[in-house]
Amino acid sequence: MAVNPLPPSSQAAFWRGVLVSLPIAVGIVPFALVTGIAGVKAGLNAVEVTAMSVLVFAGAAQLVALQLIGAGASIFFVWLATLVVNLRYLMYSSALARPLEALSSRMKLLAAFLMVDQNFALAVSQYSSLGPRITPWFYLGIGLVLWLVWVVCTYLGALLGARLPEAWSLDFVVPLCFLVLLVPAVQNRPSLFAALVGGLVSTALIGMPYRSGLFIGAVAGIWAGVWLENRQGRRP
Amino acid sequence: MSDLELWITLLGMTLIAFALRYLPLAMLERFSLPSSLQQALRYVPAATLAGLVFPALLTPDGQWAIGLHNERLLAGIIAALVAWRFKNILLTLGVGMGALWLLQWMGV
């Protein structure tokens, strides 16, 4: 996405972020609706699932947690799933440390709370042209819009959820949402190998209680990616 | 799950999600992650997301189902091609759901 000319002030940068985020926000609408529907299916009411979106603001983790809650998993397993599915934020947060350096410690709390795949990707890719003073506000503008859309559409999904017929197979939107995130995450042979091993091990272990196969699959996939990268690296 | 348990679950999830996002951002000015950990973290999205996608496509009813009779696998492959070619969220969701409905209607 081209962002030019250079916004002159932090306020202008914030609104530039808001503008850039609008088409992306349209894309997360179905994801949020499905999260609201999944919440109702898992036995939560509209307020509870909306509170989850307000506080956690992490789509993949919320959907997995709702599946687990619906299956009667213990609190510990729901937390473990949240940890595993959100591990990628450690990587995002490390990469954002420099672009967001100029923020005060209080604003860094807000910046961390609003961190998602989309504003991470845009802030890191635009940092070289926007610079250290402007990038944080651009990032915050995107994050705030996405959070608002996420919360409102989760609530709408929860209201709508009870009325949608089973025959529409709307639960299939959930793996499709993950697929949309998975495809750009596969960038080279090691990450393709990580996806194949992670996906197949998780599938083979699908019968294990509380989706624990997901954790084992993730570890196996990460190991596979690292192994192939190191093997390629050793070749002259 | 009781109301109290649910709210404890939500608060724990909130803290976990926030800590993962906040700690490196706040602390990396003083020290950085070891390079082996950084390397492993690069493969987290591909491995985890595949773990969420593959079972939904390969075992729609809890059993392996590889073949033309599995509508969700076929629709998923079509959606993956659209996602890869056009990099568009709404188009991918639309084509994926449309393919599933069409295949179910045809009774493949």
Side-chain angles (χ1 to χ4, degrees):
Chain A
M1 226 161 287
V3 180
N4 49 58
L6 219 59
S9 68
S10 46
Q11 206 180 3
F14 178 85
W15 289 108
R16 178 62 57 86
V18 169
L19 205 68
V20 164
S21 70
L22 293 178
I24 306 167
V26 174
I28 71 164
V29 167
F31 204 167
L33 290 174
V34 167
T35 304
I37 296 168
V40 174
K41 280 203 174 150
L44 279 68
N45 63 38
V47 173
E48 288 163 345
V49 66
T50 308
M52 184 192 251
S53 281
V54 168
L55 295 168
V56 183
F57 189 36
Q62 286 178 236
L63 280 171
V64 173
L66 289 169
Q67 284 178 356
L68 289 173
I69 292 171
S74 69
I75 294 177
F76 172 77
F77 270 103
V78 179
W79 287 350
L80 189 61
T82 308
L83 183 71
V84 171
V85 177
N86 277 346
L87 266 182
R88 68 185 189 283
Y89 285 116
L90 274 183
M91 176 181 71
Y92 292 177
S93 183
S94 324
L96 281 167
R98 186 160 295 279
L100 300 182
E101 209 171 26
L103 290 175
S104 67
S105 351
R106 193 177 300 173
M107 290 307 283
K108 274 186 186 164
L109 291 168
L110 181 65
F113 182 75
L114 294 176
M115 189 182 296
V116 281
D117 303 271
Q118 293 88 347
N119 56 0
F120 154 74
L122 282 169
V124 167
S125 65
Q126 299 291 331
Y127 179 56
S128 56
S129 60
L130 292 178
R133 200 172 55 85
I134 297 298
T135 306
W137 300 97
F138 173 73
Y139 164 96
L140 288 171
I142 302 169
L144 202 64
V145 172
L146 294 183
W147 180 81
L148 275 174
V149 171
W150 181 249
V151 168
V152 170
C153 292
T154 305
Y155 184 67
L156 292 179
L159 293 187
L160 210 71
R163 298 164 198 207
L164 295 173
E166 285 284 325
W168 289 7
S169 305
L170 282 178
D171 58 307
F172 192 59
V173 179
V174 175
L176 288 179
C177 287
F178 294 140
L179 187 67
V180 172
L181 298 173
L182 171 63
V183 168
V186 175
Q187 295 157 333
N188 48 32
R189 277 181 199 196
S191 56
L192 177 63
F193 193 45
L196 288 175
V197 171
L200 291 174
V201 170
S202 297
T203 311
L205 301 178
I206 194 73
M208 287 182 65
Y210 307 133
R211 300 286 302 271
S212 39
L214 179 62
F215 320 129
I216 300 167
V219 171
I222 293 164
W223 176 83
V226 169
W227 176 79
L228 187 59
E229 188 192 317
N230 290 345
R231 213 178 100 98
Q232 285 184 336
R234 271 205 297 275
R235 267 202 317 239
Chain B
M1 196 174 266
S2 73
D3 276 3
L4 179 65
E5 280 178 323
L6 179 69
W7 284 99
I8 293 171
T9 307
L10 288 189
L11 288 180
M13 287 179 71
T14 306
L15 287 178
I16 292 165
F18 182 75
L20 292 170
R21 287 161 160 158
Y22 181 67
L23 293 177
L25 191 64
M27 294 164 70
L28 277 182
E29 286 164 37
R30 273 159 281 164
F31 51 91
S32 60
L33 295 174
S35 63
S36 58
L37 184 61
Q38 284 185 28
Q39 187 195 17
L41 285 174
R42 278 205 300 277
Y43 296 104
V44 168
T48 317
L49 291 166
L52 296 168
V53 172
F54 280 39
L57 302 184
L58 295 172
T59 59
D61 303 309
Q63 301 284 327
W64 287 91
I66 297 171
L68 292 177
H69 59 284
N70 182 350
E71 297 123 355
R72 292 187 173 222
L73 179 59
L74 295 180
I77 291 170
I78 294 168
L81 291 174
V82 172
W84 173 70
R85 175 70 182 78
F86 297 101
K87 300 181 170 43
N88 183 315
I89 301 169
L90 286 179
L91 187 67
T92 306
L93 296 183
V95 169
M97 286 309 296
L100 181 66
W101 288 332
L102 190 67
L103 289 165
Q104 283 176 340
W105 177 73
M106 292 184 342
V108 174

